[in-house]
Amino acid sequence: INDGEGHASSSHQTLKGTSKWATSLENLLEDPEGVKRFREFLKKEFSEENVLFWLACEEFKKTQGKKQMQEKAKEIYMTFLSSKASSQVNVEGQSRLSETILETPHPLMFQKLQDQIFNLMKYDSYSRFLKSDIFLNHQKSEEQEENSPEAQTAAKRASRIYNT
């Protein structure tokens, strides 16, 4: 098969969707659809706060300006880390931050806690997610789409175009 410029195309297509999600938690978290499905799964396991905290930390790292950082840091602290947090994450006690650190925020201030939560998801819920109905049903619907007559017709049209 040629790619239109006379180059032979690789037999390895770029992994998409569930195939990519299944290779690593990192790949899953890079895909908005993957995050949506993983959140759906974690909600059923009563641990959605883990991925929400991880996402909030990722967003926090991109925050510019001391005032915005202070506000976001406080929001993350109050939502996930405080003893009164509405969506408290399960991190080691000695790793908890005191409220005083919120006055001088820096982009990586939550990194240690974020890593703990990432590892918790990676070695605990991620493997269960890959065996879950949510993942398997999504995988099945992807395969059905790929094998649909419309997809095959489009592929035939594309191959006719590129092979002329």
Side-chain angles (χ1 to χ4, degrees), residues 18 21-22 129-140:
T18 53
W21 304 349
F129 170 70
L130 295 178
K131 297 173 192 149
S132 73
D133 287 344
I134 292 171
F135 176 81
L136 296 172
N137 290 338
H138 192 74
Q139 189 177 41
K140 200 178 292 177

Side-chain angles (χ1 to χ4, degrees), residues 7-163:
H7 305 293
S9 68
S10 158
S11 60
H12 296 290
Q13 290 184 331
T14 310
L15 292 177
K16 287 190 286 214
T18 53
S19 302
K20 193 170 183 182
W21 304 349
T23 59
S24 73
L25 179 57
E26 291 88 339
N27 285 339
L28 172 71
L29 294 172
E30 286 173 4
D31 182 342
E33 183 65 25
V35 170
K36 180 180 161 191
R37 300 294 174 176
F38 192 47
R39 277 185 65 183
E40 198 179 313
F41 170 75
L42 291 177
K43 200 178 278 186
K44 289 183 175 186
E45 289 211 331
F46 304 102
S47 59
E48 183 187 21
E49 67 279 357
N50 290 337
V51 75
L52 294 176
F53 173 71
W54 188 88
L55 291 167
C57 291
E58 284 299 290
E59 199 55 41
F60 177 75
K61 291 176 194 173
K62 300 173 195 163
T63 305
Q64 301 291 313
K66 187 178 178 187
K67 186 87 179 119
Q68 288 90 330
M69 276 190 129
Q70 283 176 324
E71 288 170 10
K72 270 201 172 164
K74 187 174 171 102
E75 186 182 317
I76 289 172
Y77 180 82
M78 298 310 282
T79 306
F80 301 106
L81 301 169
S82 147
S83 57
K84 301 176 191 105
S86 55
S87 299
Q88 195 177 52
V89 289
N90 185 12
V91 289
E92 291 175 26
Q94 69 269 26
S95 299
R96 288 200 176 276
L97 302 173
S98 68
E99 248 176 287
T100 54
I101 196 172
L102 301 176
E103 298 307 311
T104 54
H106 58 88
L108 300 177
M109 67 187 280
F110 296 116
Q111 190 63 54
K112 223 176 184 175
L113 302 175
Q114 186 185 14
D115 290 345
Q116 271 189 41
I117 292 299
F118 179 85
N119 286 328
L120 181 69
M121 291 189 299
K122 183 175 183 172
Y123 298 111
D124 186 40
S125 25
Y126 174 63
S127 55
R128 285 195 308 279
F129 170 70
L130 295 178
K131 297 173 192 149
S132 73
D133 287 344
I134 292 171
F135 176 81
L136 296 172
N137 290 338
H138 192 74
Q139 189 177 41
K140 200 178 292 177
S141 69
E142 273 184 355
E143 288 167 4
Q144 287 170 345
E145 272 178 36
E146 284 174 19
N147 297 326
S148 72
E150 296 84 28
Q152 289 174 354
T153 305
K156 283 179 187 166
R157 270 199 308 273
S159 72
R160 275 200 304 273
I161 293 167
Y162 291 131
N163 291 327

